[in-house]
Amino acid sequence: MTTGLPPLALIAGPTASGKSDCAVALARALVQQGRRAVVINADSAQVYADLAVLSARPSAQEMQGIEHRLFGTWDGAVACSAADWALAAAMEIHALHAEGAVPILVGGTGLYIRTLLEGIAPIPPIDPFIREQVRALPLADAYAALCREDPARAAALNANDATRVARALEVIRSTGRPMAEWQEAREGGLGDTVALHPLILLPPREELYARCDARFVQMMDAGAVEEVRALLARRLDPALPVMRAIGVREIADWLQGGCTREEAIAQGAQATRNYAKRQYTWFRRQPPVAWPRKEIINSEFSSYFEILLQH
């Protein structure tokens, strides 16, 4: 890019796709040129201090001396929404630009990334009574109601996506405006204020799933069990994101006698693969077509950031 806008690198993709390694490699390449680079987390699990192992948060050794921010920043008792994270990330990016540094976003949470770049729909708080009514509906009834009340949104959603169906229905009922209108009114995005250098990592699915399986087993032996024990001891609300993170429910079930260790590992690995599959689909379809996709894990990355590295 030849604009005078400050640079922002983005390395995104599904879990176990090698994003962190690529981000650190890019940062080190920039450092060798005499430029400062800082990696900023864009993963909704890695924001929580309680999930160092289960979120595969990079260790000090894996960071290789590169500064990392927004990793383990939130206590699990406090939910971090996309808007919360986007505000914090934007502040970090602006501060780094003011210091002449290059921020490198890395993560797999598409909603976080989209909110940061495009802004957030200014939807007012949902009426609690309406929310309670909507969340009490069976999924089939909620989707049927959404088809009647906001057919455009219903057509864009999977009928089995309980979270998004309920959200769209409560928005139309509470505000009187369909989700599309609110999304068109997005505000606060920084996409037009930076020179974005994106890269999407989409390795072969079978290789990705094998890495997911291996990683979950490694997590069990590297402290994941102790993390879940600590979370259970805190007696946090089960609805909090930290308690719904992949691996927490599966390991908690084992610790509470609901399954064997082997069953917990199998279930956790399957949940990880399912999550990676959803992320893979999102990053293949949702980002702009012009954003480059890389299909080989641990292959040379510099050509994707050639312009950034030439500055």
Side-chain angles (χ1 to χ4, degrees), residues 154-185:
L157 294 178
N158 184 322
N160 295 317
D161 191 335
T163 300
R164 288 181 173 83
V165 167
R167 176 60 174 168
L169 185 58
E170 68 185 21
V171 166
I172 185 70
R173 288 187 173 181
S174 184
T175 70
R177 296 172 61 184
M179 184 68 79
E181 286 190 14
W182 289 110
Q183 291 177 336
E184 289 174 0

Side-chain angles (χ1 to χ4, degrees), residues 98-160:
E99 297 166 6
V102 178
I104 303 174
L105 281 178
V106 59
T109 304
L111 179 59
Y112 274 24
I113 296 167
R114 172 177 283 177
T115 300
L116 175 68
L117 297 177
E118 300 180 6
I120 191 167
I123 300 172
I126 301 299
D127 183 303
F129 179 70
I130 291 176
R131 169 162 288 169
E132 183 178 355
Q133 283 187 319
V134 168
R135 299 302 167 103
L137 289 172
L139 177 56
D141 292 347
Y143 186 73
L146 187 63
C147 288
R148 294 190 302 270
E149 299 175 39
D150 187 355
R153 185 60 177 168
L157 294 178
N158 184 322
N160 295 317

Side-chain angles (χ1 to χ4, degrees), residues 215-282:
R215 192 170 73 173
F216 194 81
V217 173
Q218 292 168 358
M219 287 176 177
M220 290 287 286
D221 297 330
V225 176
E226 289 71 19
E227 284 186 347
V228 175
R229 279 203 182 97
L231 282 170
L232 293 175
R234 297 186 67 186
R235 299 184 182 276
L236 299 177
D237 183 343
L240 283 168
V242 74
M243 298 303 295
R244 292 185 286 109
I246 292 173
V248 172
R249 285 175 291 187
E250 292 80 6
I251 295 174
D253 190 29
W254 166 52
L255 291 175
Q256 295 168 341
C259 67
T260 66
R261 185 178 189 274
E262 291 69 26
E263 288 171 336
I265 290 174
Q267 293 165 7
Q270 181 63 61
T272 304
R273 292 195 301 273
N274 291 344
Y275 181 54
K277 181 179 179 180
R278 293 193 299 273
Q279 288 179 303
Y280 194 106
T281 299
W282 196 95

